[in-house]
Amino acid sequence: MHSGLSIIEENYLKAIYKLQQMDGRVSTNELASEMGTSAASATDMIKKLSNKAVIQYEKYYGVQLTTYGANLAIQLVRRHRLWEVFLHDKLGYSWEKVHDLAEELEHVNIHDLADRLDAYLGHPKSDPHGDPIPDGSGQLPKTDYIKIDELRERDSFEIKGIVDSDAKFLNYLTERNLGIGCKLRLISIDAYAETYEVLIEATHQSLVWTKRIAQNILIKKT
Amino acid sequence: MHSGLSIIEENYLKAIYKLQQMDGRVSTNELASEMGTSAASATDMIKKLSNKAVIQYEKYYGVQLTTYGANLAIQLVRRHRLWEVFLHDKLGYSWEKVHDLAEELEHVNIHDLADRLDAYLGHPKSDPHGDPIPDGSGQLPKTDYIKIDELRERDSFEIKGIVDSDAKFLNYLTERNLGIGCKLRLISIDAYAETYEVLIEATHQSLVWTKRIAQNILIKKT
DNA sequence: AAAAATATTTAGACTAGGCTAAATATTTTT
DNA sequence: AAAAATATTTAGCCTAGTCTAAATATTTTT
Ligand SMILES: [Mn+2]
Ligand SMILES: [Mn+2]
Ligand SMILES: [Mn+2]
Ligand SMILES: [Mn+2]
């Protein structure tokens, strides 16, 4: 259960996992920027994680998680998201607040804490931001969410997830009564301005999404 | 909310708080021994905590918590015990396991986490070891527990708490079906051997407690 | 009131994680 | 194919927390 990694090493590991999702290979600069440190510090840490067999490292080439490292990362993500569910569902925190708290709680990993928490929460499939929660064996529930650019005018849809849940974006959504499970309809597409006019079914409120905003929202056609 | 102390500084603070309960003034050696470090390390940390106005320090004399430091310590104890209740009552951990986990969780202190946890747990008055939980303003519920040497033969009593909940002692109790709330009767006192024969009401099981064991159990006459 | 024993502090060194500045490799542009 | 720009690593230094060994203060014993 105990990973042999320090809290800081675990945070780097999670960052590598996140970047690898998108890019495959992770460069020193990418990692440094994600962690908010210097490239020199990232190089130092890369060497440490490499010595612990968590990542595979080739000089001037970048890093990749080993199978072992990927497993550790997924369990870390699992704990993070389970804590987010706890904080949101049981303690009533808003989805903007849960991330910072889970960022600390995720590092507690003794006994079978994650499994007990999972059972207590009723084996949730996704966290408050719509991100899928890996099961005990590291399996991620398969989702088939799309983005709004795959819809046609007058299609109905539901918000299912957020690509990058940074606090400012979550706040933007909350202020406009948008959240996971929210039902909407695509009213019109402005192809030149690259904007989408949508209507919230519940309130009949109408909004315009720029491409940048729309690309950050995962949906399902209904 | 954020104390300005590192996790390690917080652990020292809690140790000082614990030792001060018993002794008043805390010596360098006592602290080093409680923390499992060298006296030199304890001296180093004492200087740091003193600079942060958490303790008052006089060379070669010992340390004492300041009012500010005592408040921080009590809030830390509050978080520790609330997490223990959560782990025990909600996740079903035994009282031997909750301490180690709470030792890590107690350091998470952002937003109003302790207060939300407290409300969620129904404002518990004591943790799974019978230790009182301070309220949000640091007030400890007053208890009037005694030890068995204040009883007479044939008195009935209930276990209310444990003085020093180390794992081995908790295990000793669990193996004999003893725990908080357990009802017993004092059968006889052997003044010369300094032992107490007690009877568990529920099972009619009879046990002999040595003075060392008896001194570690807090009870209430019923 | 000395001597001996004990407690505490200081000195110097080590590891983890971080930084800046300089050196070196790689990629892109011309 | 050079030159310029960018990316990465190395070198050297810093702080937090730890250690051992040595120095100093205090307490206890004789
Ligand atoms: Mn984290
Ligand atoms: Mn999340
Ligand atoms: Mn702790
Ligand atoms: Mn306890």
Side-chain angles (χ1 to χ4, degrees):
Chain A
M1 294 300 104
H2 159 260
S3 67
L5 301 184
S6 70
I7 290 177
I8 290 166
E9 286 171 332
E10 283 192 342
N11 284 335
Y12 272 91
L13 173 62
K14 204 152 57 93
I16 294 167
Y17 176 79
K18 180 183 165 185
L19 295 170
Q20 186 170 291
Q21 303 290 104
M22 310 188 293
D23 306 8
R25 209 155 40 78
V26 179
S27 74
T28 304
N29 264 2
E30 271 179 307
L31 182 56
S33 145
E34 175 72 21
M35 291 301 295
T37 61
S38 66
S41 298
T43 301
D44 286 349
M45 184 54 77
I46 282 169
K47 285 177 188 165
K48 273 177 215 158
L49 292 177
S50 181
N51 287 334
K52 294 195 180 184
V54 163
I55 58 180
Q56 214 199 314
Y57 169 50
E58 207 176 319
K59 259 191 184 182
Y60 292 102
Y61 181 77
V63 303
Q64 251 181 313
L65 293 172
T66 61
T67 307
Y68 169 61
N71 285 339
L72 290 184
I74 287 169
Q75 289 309 314
L76 194 49
V77 166
R78 171 169 148 86
R79 296 198 296 277
H80 183 101
R81 292 180 184 167
L82 285 171
W83 278 118
E84 284 191 346
V85 173
F86 169 74
L87 294 165
H88 184 267
D89 292 8
K90 303 293 187 183
L91 300 193
Y93 277 106
S94 66
W95 70 348
E96 292 101 327
K97 300 228 172 115
V98 296
H99 181 80
D100 285 353
L101 278 156
E103 196 57 49
E104 319 256 319
L105 292 166
E106 66 188 1
H107 304 291
V108 178
N109 184 28
I110 36 183
H111 300 299
D112 48 352
L113 183 58
D115 291 339
R116 293 219 186 202
L117 194 55
D118 183 40
Y120 178 63
L121 298 171
H123 305 289
K125 291 276 167 297
S126 56
D127 80 6
H129 311 105
D131 291 314
I133 300 179
D135 68 20
S137 63
Q139 218 55 41
L140 274 161
K142 193 79 195 109
T143 57
D144 55 348
Y145 305 142
I146 58 172
K147 292 180 188 160
I148 202 170
D149 55 13
E150 294 187 40
L151 293 187
R152 278 184 286 193
E153 291 185 350
R154 264 185 300 280
D155 279 350
S156 288
F157 65 97
E158 193 178 318
I159 296 182
K160 287 293 188 178
I162 305 300
V163 178
D164 189 3
S165 333
D166 79 300
K168 258 169 287 180
F169 183 62
L170 294 181
N171 203 45
Y172 165 89
L173 295 175
T174 305
E175 277 172 2
R176 285 158 184 81
N177 305 309
L178 295 170
I180 306 296
C182 191
K183 289 170 178 24
L184 303 106
R185 183 196 304 268
L186 175 54
I187 301 298
S188 66
I189 304 175
D190 183 330
Y192 177 69
E194 294 187 306
T195 58
Y196 304 85
E197 186 185 358
V198 300
L199 183 82
I200 303 180
E201 300 277 16
T203 61
H204 285 274
Q205 193 186 348
S206 148
L207 295 167
V208 174
W209 289 352
T210 62
K211 194 187 182 80
R212 197 179 61 81
I213 287 167
Q215 281 298 340
N216 207 12
I217 300 173
L218 296 169
I219 64 172
K220 186 168 181 175
K221 198 172 157 181
T222 53
Chain B
M1 296 303 101
H2 161 261
S3 68
L5 301 184
S6 71
I7 290 177
I8 291 165
E9 286 171 332
E10 283 192 342
N11 285 336
Y12 272 91
L13 173 63
K14 203 151 59 90
I16 294 168
Y17 176 78
K18 180 183 165 186
L19 295 171
Q20 186 171 290
Q21 304 290 102
M22 310 189 291
D23 306 7
R25 210 154 39 78
V26 179
S27 75
T28 303
N29 265 1
E30 271 179 307
L31 183 56
S33 147
E34 174 73 22
M35 291 300 296
T37 61
S38 67
S41 298
T43 301
D44 286 349
M45 183 54 78
I46 282 169
K47 286 179 188 164
K48 273 177 215 157
L49 291 176
S50 180
N51 287 334
K52 294 195 180 183
V54 164
I55 59 179
Q56 215 198 313
Y57 169 50
E58 206 176 320
K59 259 192 183 181
Y60 292 102
Y61 180 77
V63 303
Q64 250 181 311
L65 293 172
T66 60
T67 308
Y68 169 61
N71 285 338
L72 290 183
I74 288 170
Q75 289 310 313
L76 194 48
V77 166
R78 173 170 147 86
R79 295 197 297 275
H80 183 100
R81 293 181 182 166
L82 286 171
W83 279 118
E84 284 192 347
V85 173
F86 170 74
L87 294 164
H88 185 268
D89 292 7
K90 303 294 186 181
L91 300 194
Y93 276 106
S94 67
W95 70 347
E96 292 101 328
K97 300 226 173 118
V98 296
H99 181 81
D100 285 354
L101 278 155
E103 198 57 51
E104 318 257 319
L105 292 166
E106 67 188 359
H107 304 290
V108 178
N109 184 27
I110 37 183
H111 300 299
D112 47 353
L113 182 57
D115 292 337
R116 293 219 186 203
L117 194 55
D118 183 41
Y120 178 61
L121 298 170
H123 306 288
K125 292 277 169 294
S126 57
D127 79 7
H129 311 105
D131 291 314
I133 301 178
D135 67 20
S137 62
Q139 218 56 41
L140 274 160
K142 193 78 194 108
T143 58
D144 54 349
Y145 305 142
I146 58 173
K147 291 178 188 160
I148 202 171
D149 55 12
E150 293 188 40
L151 294 187
R152 277 183 285 192
E153 292 185 348
R154 264 186 299 281
D155 280 350
S156 287
F157 64 97
E158 192 179 319
I159 296 183
K160 287 294 189 177
I162 305 302
V163 178
D164 190 2
S165 334
D166 79 299
K168 258 168 286 179
F169 184 63
L170 294 181
N171 203 45
Y172 165 88
L173 294 176
T174 305
E175 277 172 1
R176 285 158 184 80
N177 304 309
L178 296 170
I180 306 296
C182 190
K183 288 171 180 22
L184 302 108
R185 185 197 304 268
L186 176 53
I187 301 297
S188 66
I189 304 175
D190 183 329
Y192 177 70
E194 294 187 305
T195 58
Y196 304 85
E197 185 186 359
V198 300
L199 184 85
I200 303 180
E201 300 275 18
T203 60
H204 284 273
Q205 193 185 351
S206 145
L207 296 166
V208 174
W209 290 351
T210 62
K211 195 186 177 80
R212 199 179 59 81
I213 287 167
Q215 282 298 336
N216 207 12
I217 300 174
L218 296 170
I219 63 172
K220 189 169 180 173
K221 198 173 158 184
T222 54

